[in-house]
Amino acid sequence: MNADAVKPFFIYNTLSRKVEEFVPLHPGVVTYYSCGPTVYLPQHLGNMRSYLFTDTLKRALRLNGYEVRHVMNITDVGHMTSDQDAGEDKIEKTARAEGRSPKEVADYYTELFIHNLEMLRIEKPTVPPGQFCRATEHIPDMIALIQRILDRGYAYVVHSGVYFDVEKWRGPGRMGRLSRQSLEEQFAEQRLEHASDKRSKHDFALWVLNQPGHLMQWDSPWGRGYPGWHIECSAMSMKYLGETLDIHSGGLDHVPIHHENEIAQSESATGKPFVRYFVHNAFLVGMEGAKISKSSGRFPVLADLVAVGIDPIAFRLFCFGAKYRSELAFSLDAVRAAQRNLDYLTEFARGVPDGIAHGADSDWPQPYFERFHEALNNDLNTPQALAVVLDLVGESYRRNDKRIWNTLARMDTVLGVDFEGIRRRAASERLPAEIEALRAQRDEARKKKDFARSDALRNELLARGYEVKDTPAGTVVQRRN
Ligand code: AMP
Ligand code: ZN
């Protein structure tokens, strides 16, 4: 842990409806589960706001010295067209419409999702390292958890499936812990058909039985069938992170049903608190009428922004520029304003020479870093943190002193713009092509640990009048004066 680890970190906990100081269960380590995509359509910009929020929270926790053990799922079975089990399986619906198998549909949209994350420089989960947990690869874990719930008497088996007994769990008249709604309020707007053999309309499916038309089916102690949507998150989060998680997040829409049900399933099985801090992002709104080429009839996606010349990182800055708990109105003009901020920062980064980038900072930027850090620790006040970054760069121009690079690089561990990459690309652009080729070959040789070749390339560059430096980001080449 670094010296900054002592600063308290505050976050809004939906469980208490308060901003609380975050204290993990085990010192220095944060266990974090965030709900991932249902892979049956491209993820729209609203969804991407949710993943950007997760990414920022992870990065901010790391800035505070924590190791973040983060799990994210991919829902590739069991999410019905209504969150309350009614309707069709979303993946199978797309599969039928497109004449593909459910696996083909899920694989295609999973890849697209991961590509979108990469474009936004969103880091992948850390548990398992760099991987997403696919629901279809965790069926035995779900079956085992359902069995535990049955053993504790909070579920029952009927012809159409295994159901969670919501009223028994919640007790008469009790409000939902997260939503603070009664069951009647929660279901008031629901006008869909439910299985008629459920004991109560409030019960939700843990395992669905006797649906011969469903394409994906597995054997279980109760018969062939498939899991309900909610059980996957309980099973996968507890498998990798333990029975009590520090943080669980998702969009606000998950409060009344999905997360309420996850709590019920997990706590009825384990008898332990499931989550210590539930954190929810507000919605990106105003996408309905968004005028972006080719996007008519659906919500805009990242590719729509790219098609009109917007850098995906501008969308990252656009989201960073709003508090995660505030609704954010989407418009092209607003994203273009974020693009102008990105251009401003990019131009600065491109103009920082190697000598300054690899040297020490001046003293004056330090308080800027403190302010940046404090803003993030204050319930992720990203708009304030972004303002500090822009101020720092402005002040650097005013003082005509670019020795702020290390400070900016530390801020970038959360902001995620990749200032060093921008600077290095700009520096490389200025090199003659044959020198840049030698530089790239040397990076390649070092990656392969071919030190003989890397030394030979260094000598070649030296002979041509270029200095060679090894940095964590790779080979930096500069003409000798
Ligand atoms: P889904 O694929 O529908 O399960 O959504 C993936 C994630 O995006 C969930 O955490 C949702 O809560 C979140 N989400 C959905 N729509 C929006 C939106 N318009 N703005 C922000 N987050 C959203
Ligand atoms: Zn979930």
Side-chain angles (χ1 to χ4, degrees):
M1 290 235 224
N2 57 36
D4 301 307
V6 290
K7 287 198 169 70
F9 183 82
F10 291 90
I11 194 83
Y12 183 85
N13 190 346
T14 309
L15 284 165
S16 65
R17 297 277 203 276
K18 284 195 184 89
V19 174
E20 292 180 20
E21 180 174 350
F22 173 74
V23 182
L25 202 52
H26 302 288
V29 181
V30 181
T31 53
Y32 177 20
Y33 182 88
S34 59
C35 290
T38 306
V39 281
Y40 69 109
L41 277 178
Q43 291 282 294
H44 56 64
L45 292 176
N47 302 131
M48 299 325 286
R49 182 187 191 196
S50 189
Y51 308 124
L52 279 167
F53 157 67
T54 291
D55 191 57
T56 304
L57 176 55
K58 276 167 71 176
R59 288 166 178 258
L61 287 164
R62 276 219 307 269
L63 188 74
N64 283 278
Y66 292 114
E67 177 201 339
V68 183
R69 299 176 55 77
H70 173 230
V71 173
M72 193 194 275
N73 66 301
I74 299 271
T75 300
D76 53 2
V77 67
H79 194 174
M80 310 312 269
T81 44
S82 141
D83 282 0
Q84 293 171 337
D85 299 338
E88 261 182 282
D89 185 312
K90 289 180 174 182
I91 313 243
E92 297 208 348
K93 188 176 173 197
T94 300
R96 283 182 224 283
E98 297 185 359
R100 293 193 275 177
S101 73
K103 176 148 181 18
E104 282 169 337
V105 168
D107 285 352
Y108 175 79
Y109 289 109
T110 299
E111 226 171 89
L112 190 62
F113 164 67
I114 292 173
H115 180 58
N116 275 214
L117 295 186
E118 285 167 353
M119 289 205 289
L120 288 169
R121 300 182 52 76
I122 293 175
E123 293 178 359
K124 305 221 171 86
T126 52
V127 182
Q131 284 179 47
F132 296 86
C133 295
R134 287 169 169 78
T136 51
E137 291 172 8
H138 293 81
I139 302 291
D141 303 297
M142 297 183 216
I143 290 175
L145 184 59
I146 295 168
Q147 190 59 58
R148 278 176 84 182
I149 301 170
L150 277 164
D151 292 345
R152 308 252 316 199
Y154 288 104
Y156 57 88
V157 187
V158 291
H159 180 77
S160 69
V162 184
Y163 289 96
F164 189 87
D165 190 337
V166 174
E167 279 163 346
K168 175 162 182 191
W169 164 250
R170 213 183 257 199
R174 281 236 325 262
M175 299 286 156
R177 184 117 43 95
L178 271 183
S179 66
R180 306 206 173 167
Q181 288 179 325
S182 69
L183 287 173
E184 283 308 329
E185 281 167 331
Q186 236 170 275
F187 285 70
E189 283 150 35
Q190 198 65 18
R191 289 194 174 69
L192 290 152
E193 286 295 313
H194 288 276
S196 55
D197 58 349
K198 285 203 288 193
R199 283 188 198 153
S200 153
K201 65 179 179 191
H202 302 306
D203 297 346
F204 59 88
L206 299 170
W207 189 263
V208 182
L209 290 165
N210 295 305
Q211 291 284 328
H214 200 269
L215 301 170
M216 292 177 280
Q217 307 249 6
W218 292 265
D219 287 328
S220 82
W222 320 287
R224 259 184 100 64
Y226 60 96
W229 170 42
H230 315 291
I231 196 72
E232 64 166 282
C233 286
S234 290
M236 294 193 276
S237 59
M238 294 199 289
K239 172 178 175 141
Y240 294 104
L241 300 173
E243 292 180 347
T244 299
L245 321 179
D246 286 315
I247 305 180
H248 189 324
S249 74
L252 267 179
D253 57 324
H254 285 344
V255 171
I257 304 168
H258 183 50
H259 288 169
E260 205 72 86
N261 291 354
E262 278 188 48
I263 295 175
Q265 294 165 153
S266 310
E267 299 194 356
S268 65
T270 67
K272 295 178 191 160
F274 174 45
V275 170
R276 301 174 63 243
Y277 301 82
F278 253 111
V279 189
H280 294 97
N281 66 274
F283 266 36
L284 181 68
V285 295
M287 290 182 290
E288 300 78 6
K291 294 261 182 303
I292 303 187
S293 59
K294 292 191 231 145
S295 78
S296 57
R298 58 170 169 77
F299 281 173
V301 297
L302 206 51
D304 294 322
L305 295 183
V306 174
V308 294
I310 292 171
D311 185 326
I313 300 301
F315 183 71
R316 186 177 176 102
L317 281 195
F318 167 68
C319 292
F320 207 90
K323 286 214 67 178
Y324 75 94
R325 285 201 283 132
S326 305
E327 244 178 32
L328 174 58
F330 175 79
S331 76
L332 263 188
D333 282 348
V335 181
R336 286 206 166 105
Q339 175 79 56
R340 285 193 288 280
N341 278 339
L342 177 62
D343 293 344
Y344 175 71
L345 295 173
T346 301
E347 191 187 309
F348 178 84
R350 288 174 63 89
V352 175
D354 286 337
I356 285 184
H358 301 128
D361 280 14
S362 296
D363 288 336
W364 64 264
Q366 181 58 23
Y368 285 81
F369 183 78
E370 302 293 325
R371 278 165 53 207
F372 176 85
H373 192 171
E374 255 162 48
L376 290 174
N377 280 19
N378 180 15
D379 193 23
L380 281 190
N381 192 337
T382 51
Q384 207 174 337
L386 178 61
V388 175
V389 176
L390 294 166
D391 274 359
L392 171 64
V393 171
E395 185 62 17
S396 165
Y397 278 125
R398 263 190 297 281
R399 290 180 184 240
N400 197 17
D401 176 6
K402 290 192 169 155
R403 285 171 301 162
I404 65 165
W405 194 251
N406 297 302
T407 307
L408 210 51
R410 282 181 81 198
M411 292 172 167
D412 200 28
T413 60
V414 185
L415 195 63
V417 164
D418 189 21
F419 289 131
E420 179 61 15
I422 292 169
R423 196 191 69 76
R424 275 171 46 84
R425 279 192 295 280
S428 298
E429 280 164 21
R430 291 191 285 272
L431 294 172
E434 71 276 21
I435 301 298
E436 168 51 20
L438 290 172
R439 192 201 64 74
Q441 284 171 30
R442 187 159 184 279
D443 264 351
E444 201 46 42
R446 281 171 58 78
K447 223 185 278 164
K448 291 188 187 139
K449 302 208 183 312
D450 184 351
F451 296 115
R453 175 148 174 77
S454 124
D455 285 349
L457 286 161
R458 171 199 286 271
N459 291 338
E460 168 92 9
L461 284 160
L462 283 172
R464 291 177 184 230
Y466 286 85
E467 238 171 51
V468 178
K469 274 191 209 147
D470 298 322
T471 74
T475 303
V476 171
V477 174
Q478 247 181 323
R479 189 186 290 281
R480 263 192 298 195
N481 299 318

